[in-house]
Amino acid sequence: MTMSSIHGRVMLEQPPETATAGYLAAGALTRRELGKLMAGAGLTMVAMPLVTRDAEAEATPNLTILEWNGYEAPEFHPEYAKKYSGSPSYSFFSDEEEALQKILAGFNPDLSHPCTASIRRWKDAGAIKPIDTKRIERWGEIMPELFSAKGMVIDGEHYMMPWDFGFSQIVYNPDILPLDKPTYGVMVDEAYAGKVSMNSQLDVVVAVGGIIAGNKNIFDPSDAEIDRLVEVWRQMVKTSRFLWSDATEIEQAMASKEIGAAYLWTSSLAALRKQGLRLEVIPPLLPWICGFVINTKGPGDEQQAYDYLNAMLDPVGGKASILANSYAHPNPESYVSVDKVHLRSYGIEDPIASLKEGIFFDEIPAAKREKLIALWDKVRAGL
Amino acid sequence: MASVTGGPLVGHARSRPLSQRFRALLLRSEALRGYILLTPTLLVMFLLLVVPLCGMIAFSFFTQVYFDIDFTLTLKNYWSIIKPGAGNTYLGIPFPFETPVYTILLVKSLLMSLVATSVIVLMAYPMAYFIAFRATNHKFLWLVLITVPLWTSYLLRVFAWKVILGHNGVLNSGLISIGVIEEPLGFLLYNPAAVIITLTHAWLAFAILPIYVSLEKIDRSLLEAATDLGDSKLIRFLRVTLPLSLPGVISSALMVFIPTVGDYVTPAQVGGTSGIMIGTIIQRQFGAANNWPLGSALSIFMMLAVTAIVCLFLWGVGNDRIKARGA
């Protein structure tokens, strides 16, 4: 449209042949020349995106990560952000099983962030592939003890790059619940019904319920132990005001003093303490290790995935994550300039030793898991 | 058109090019024209409703084996829903099934939905009545105002109720500040009542419009006639207005009841541990429980139950009418 109308105007204004030179000298164009010019401009416009895309390919993020909320800060991956002048795109989850189902239903991230207890399950589902550790320059800097966690290495292959580890725990607010001898029993105590809130993830209720039930094999309970566990669950569902699944949900409820005791991730504990809330931790602590896995059908650039993994091991980003979430980082260098008081208050002054405290989140064997899920669903429904 | 050439009609039609024959067919057949007009809608309905539904029906006959699907057709999923067993009681009703949770949750969801629907229709009727009969100048404005709550997303409206009913919520802090209560009321949120309140608010607008339309259609001279014949306002309403607006009431009730039975977001947000519904457990099958076939079977089980209730309801309404006509 535009071009033909311009042509039209030029045609109308076209001077007699003899005057062409004069018009050219004055900066005007003949119709033919204008045509050439326009064609040139058109070609350039068509070609430009092709050319620039090629030139910028190195510098734009082409990576999708299925993440927990709160790990997407560019400060955690400064190297990647610098190299690709931006951050990857993130999609968020708050329950590992939901994340796995999202992947199985056809959402394909390049990387995701489950914890050790789920890795075998994710591998069985065909959702992840082994990591080529040679492509991660800083792989050697990872604290070697982390690799001894179950699930980290399957059949001699690394399926996870450990990244964050720390605790979750039952905490209580002494201003609301003045407990004499705080134990996990607070979660099933009828005196505190409606003042406590449990998390809804299976692994969590198996761990906390198993501790309350006094089970020996918490993550691989016998039939008798399962019966006891279910009894505890029934009580737990009755006393819980709600079963939380999203961290902000429980943080708000604790901040408004609606809830006096809850299962809490350390990042939430740190956030609530920053708001000036008095919260005490009830032993035992529940340590865990999470990390990154490479998904089988990632649509993005695999090199970028490895670059991201390497960037996440950078001590600069590590320090930022320790300060922000109060979880430990796999690179010992990250701790060098972090305030010891901060580390101590979240139990990660000696991060490896801290993993041996408390009850580590182990994997639940596949068959038992199915059974426990069915039972937990039944109990959740109030039966 | 063909008669202009004067040749035998049939033979001529055969020799015409395909496009002309199609045109002729199109002009002759009203049904075909109708279908062609409907094609985009039918296509969308087929792709987004019929195909997934068929997929779900098929899935409900498969079996989940860890992360694989066993495609052998079986009724096992349905059987697991209604397999007899020791059972449990709910609201004093025995549910003698091995896994009574499904049937109990279904009944609970149906009851909660029924209560919500009744409340919604009772609240929607006066509003629709007002707009149809009392609002004279700004009817359009009133109708637009009714849709205002729909301008925000459903999820936000559910969250809004969390803010209103919550521990430090609008209601509690308001009551505390005027000195009615000292401690926040805990029973406002995280129970079936909170779910019903939220559903009522979220679906009210959908119920008002059909009732309004049926009230608007009522011939005003019938009302005048009733008054002339000596009916009081109440009797006139009961004998003329209400029966004539029943189609609107029925469609409102269905429009609210059917989608709310399977609602998942509302119980998840404001239901707490006691307010969960069948939608919650179906969602779990597609999520953490990793059992799509059972989830599909449960969905179909729920749809069948809803269909049965709707048919019963419509049959009851129809029956009443026939009786009324006979009398």
Side-chain angles (χ1 to χ4, degrees):
Chain A
M1 261 313 256
T2 325
M3 227 156 107
S4 67
S5 64
I6 288 171
H7 270 273
R9 206 181 317 130
V10 173
M11 266 166 76
L12 285 176
E13 288 168 0
Q14 196 187 18
E17 207 63 33
T18 45
T20 312
Y23 268 88
L24 264 178
L29 298 168
T30 64
R31 182 177 149 201
R32 194 165 296 163
E33 276 169 324
L34 188 74
K36 266 189 205 165
L37 213 72
M38 297 300 279
L43 266 181
T44 319
M45 275 173 70
V46 171
M48 200 134 76
L50 293 174
V51 177
T52 47
R53 204 178 297 152
D54 261 5
E56 281 175 9
E58 207 61 56
T60 43
N62 175 18
L63 195 65
T64 310
I65 303 177
L66 190 54
E67 252 300 3
W68 301 87
N69 210 340
Y71 290 85
E72 70 281 15
E75 299 92 80
F76 297 173
H77 53 261
E79 276 185 4
Y80 179 95
K82 199 176 157 212
K83 185 167 180 187
Y84 296 105
S85 43
S87 288
S89 23
Y90 293 94
S91 172
F92 298 104
F93 68 95
S94 63
D95 178 321
E96 283 168 71
E97 282 298 327
E98 299 287 346
L100 177 59
Q101 288 302 326
K102 190 168 173 177
I103 293 170
L104 294 180
F107 176 76
N108 290 316
D110 297 295
L111 297 171
S112 37
H113 189 172
C115 303
T116 54
S118 308
I119 300 185
R120 194 175 301 272
R121 200 168 156 77
W122 286 47
K123 180 192 167 276
D124 288 349
I128 55 175
K129 61 183 177 189
I131 299 173
D132 182 358
T133 58
K134 284 196 251 9
R135 290 177 73 178
I136 301 171
E137 217 179 298
R138 291 200 179 90
W139 186 266
E141 294 170 26
I142 298 173
M143 300 172 181
E145 295 88 343
L146 292 176
F147 294 117
S148 59
K150 226 194 269 176
M152 202 68 85
V153 183
I154 301 174
D155 306 332
E157 303 248 42
H158 282 279
Y159 279 90
M160 175 183 269
M161 181 186 95
W163 188 69
D164 55 332
F165 56 106
F167 308 111
S168 43
Q169 56 256 302
I170 302 283
V171 304
Y172 75 101
N173 183 338
D175 297 332
I176 303 173
L177 305 179
L179 305 178
D180 283 341
K181 282 184 199 147
T183 64
Y184 273 29
V186 65
M187 300 306 287
V188 290
D189 194 331
E190 252 168 70
Y192 306 123
K195 286 277 171 203
V196 302
S197 174
M198 191 55 209
N199 177 274
S200 65
Q201 277 203 68
L202 184 78
D203 299 82
V204 175
V205 291
V206 167
V208 173
I211 292 169
I212 297 174
N215 285 353
K216 222 177 214 162
N217 306 306
I218 291 179
F219 296 98
D220 190 6
S222 64
D223 285 350
E225 283 177 324
I226 287 179
D227 289 345
R228 279 210 296 273
L229 185 61
V230 168
E231 264 325 297
V232 170
W233 280 352
R234 283 217 173 94
Q235 198 54 39
M236 205 150 68
V237 167
K238 247 185 246 165
T239 47
S240 279
R241 180 137 174 81
F242 57 88
L243 299 168
W244 68 270
S245 60
D246 183 79
T248 44
E249 201 180 358
I250 187 62
E251 283 171 25
Q252 279 172 9
M254 293 217 81
S256 70
K257 302 195 170 153
E258 179 176 13
I259 295 297
Y263 170 87
L264 219 59
W265 296 334
T266 300
S267 57
S268 298
L269 176 63
L272 287 168
R273 277 181 175 163
K274 261 178 217 154
Q275 290 179 32
L277 211 65
R278 203 153 71 96
L279 291 175
E280 303 288 337
V281 173
I282 303 179
L285 295 170
L286 302 166
W288 45 260
I289 305 174
C290 301
F292 290 98
V293 292
I294 301 185
N295 293 100
T296 30
K297 290 182 197 152
D301 181 352
E302 197 174 56
Q303 188 49 46
Q304 285 203 18
Y306 280 102
D307 283 343
Y308 185 84
L309 292 180
N310 200 42
M312 290 302 267
L313 293 174
D314 174 15
V316 178
K319 185 186 168 186
S321 94
I322 292 171
L323 290 177
N325 288 335
S326 305
Y327 292 136
H329 187 264
N331 193 333
E333 290 293 313
S334 307
Y335 302 81
V336 174
S337 59
V338 180
D339 181 15
K340 288 279 175 291
V341 179
H342 178 88
L343 293 179
R344 206 170 303 135
S345 62
Y346 293 101
I348 50 173
E349 199 180 6
D350 182 350
I352 294 299
S354 72
L355 284 176
K356 289 174 188 125
E357 287 171 34
I359 289 152
F360 187 81
F361 270 105
D362 250 330
E363 61 178 14
I364 303 168
K368 218 153 257 182
R369 191 184 186 89
E370 306 282 301
K371 188 175 173 185
L372 289 168
I373 285 175
L375 287 169
W376 173 229
D377 270 344
K378 206 169 138 181
V379 176
R380 277 178 75 159
L383 299 169
Chain B
M1 215 161 71
S3 62
V4 178
T5 60
L9 242 163
V10 180
H12 191 83
R14 240 177 233 145
S15 64
R16 270 186 305 184
L18 197 68
S19 63
Q20 269 186 35
R21 264 158 62 194
F22 179 70
R23 211 179 127 74
L25 191 68
L26 200 65
L27 287 172
R28 229 176 295 136
S29 159
E30 208 167 315
L32 186 67
R33 267 181 312 193
Y35 279 120
I36 286 178
L37 273 178
L38 272 176
T39 306
T41 320
L42 282 178
L43 213 66
V44 169
M45 289 283 273
F46 181 76
L47 286 177
L48 299 182
L49 201 76
V50 179
V51 172
L53 193 65
C54 291
M56 202 168 74
I57 292 171
F59 245 91
S60 71
F61 295 110
F62 301 152
T63 318
Q64 182 93 33
V65 186
Y66 198 30
F67 282 109
D68 297 315
I69 300 285
D70 179 355
F71 292 103
T72 329
L73 299 183
T74 163
L75 286 169
K76 223 184 77 189
N77 295 312
Y78 291 98
W79 181 236
S80 72
I81 299 172
I82 51 162
K83 189 174 178 186
N88 222 319
T89 54
Y90 175 72
L91 296 175
I93 311 162
F95 285 83
F97 303 110
E98 194 184 66
T99 321
V101 53
Y102 307 128
T103 29
I104 291 181
L105 274 186
L106 180 67
V107 169
K108 186 177 167 191
S109 308
L110 291 172
L111 286 177
M112 280 168 73
S113 224
L114 224 52
V115 174
T117 309
S118 318
V119 176
I120 288 170
V121 170
L122 284 178
M123 286 177 79
Y125 201 94
M127 285 194 230
Y129 189 89
F130 174 80
I131 300 171
F133 290 111
R134 292 283 174 271
T136 43
N137 287 332
H138 303 291
K139 222 167 238 192
F140 182 69
L141 183 71
W142 278 105
L143 285 174
V144 171
L145 279 178
I146 282 185
T147 63
V148 166
L150 303 180
W151 295 4
T152 45
S153 93
Y154 185 61
L155 195 59
L156 280 180
R157 275 177 281 151
V158 178
F159 268 117
W161 276 104
K162 227 173 159 172
V163 171
I164 295 169
L165 300 174
H167 185 74
N168 277 9
V170 179
L171 203 58
N172 270 328
S173 42
L175 288 175
I176 290 174
S177 72
I178 58 169
V180 177
I181 49 171
E182 282 183 3
E183 284 288 304
L185 302 171
F187 62 83
L188 294 175
L189 195 58
Y190 301 124
N191 53 40
V195 176
I196 290 170
I197 291 173
T198 311
L199 285 176
T200 305
H201 172 246
W203 290 91
L204 195 57
F206 292 102
I208 294 176
L209 296 176
I211 299 179
Y212 163 76
V213 170
S214 66
L215 284 171
E216 186 68 23
K217 273 198 313 200
I218 295 176
D219 188 346
R220 300 299 192 268
S221 56
L222 293 175
L223 300 178
E224 278 170 30
T227 320
D228 288 347
L229 292 171
D231 271 356
S232 71
K233 278 183 179 174
L234 181 68
I235 302 289
R236 186 184 73 188
F237 172 76
L238 291 176
R239 279 174 49 170
V240 183
T241 317
L242 187 62
L244 285 176
S245 64
L246 265 187
V249 173
I250 291 165
S251 62
S252 289
L254 294 181
M255 212 153 133
V256 172
F257 177 72
I258 296 171
T260 49
V261 175
D263 195 78
Y264 154 70
V265 178
T266 313
Q269 289 302 325
V270 300
T273 47
S274 62
I276 85 168
M277 291 166 78
I278 185 100
T280 317
I281 211 146
I282 293 177
Q283 187 272 343
R284 292 269 300 166
Q285 301 308 317
F286 289 95
N290 183 39
N291 196 341
W292 288 31
L294 181 60
S296 306
L298 279 170
S299 305
I300 289 165
F301 186 58
M302 182 190 88
M303 284 194 284
L304 289 178
V306 172
T307 312
I309 288 184
V310 168
C311 288
L312 210 70
F313 175 68
L314 288 178
W315 177 77
V317 171
N319 230 19
D320 267 6
R321 288 215 164 158
I322 292 160
K323 266 188 217 152
R325 237 172 256 160

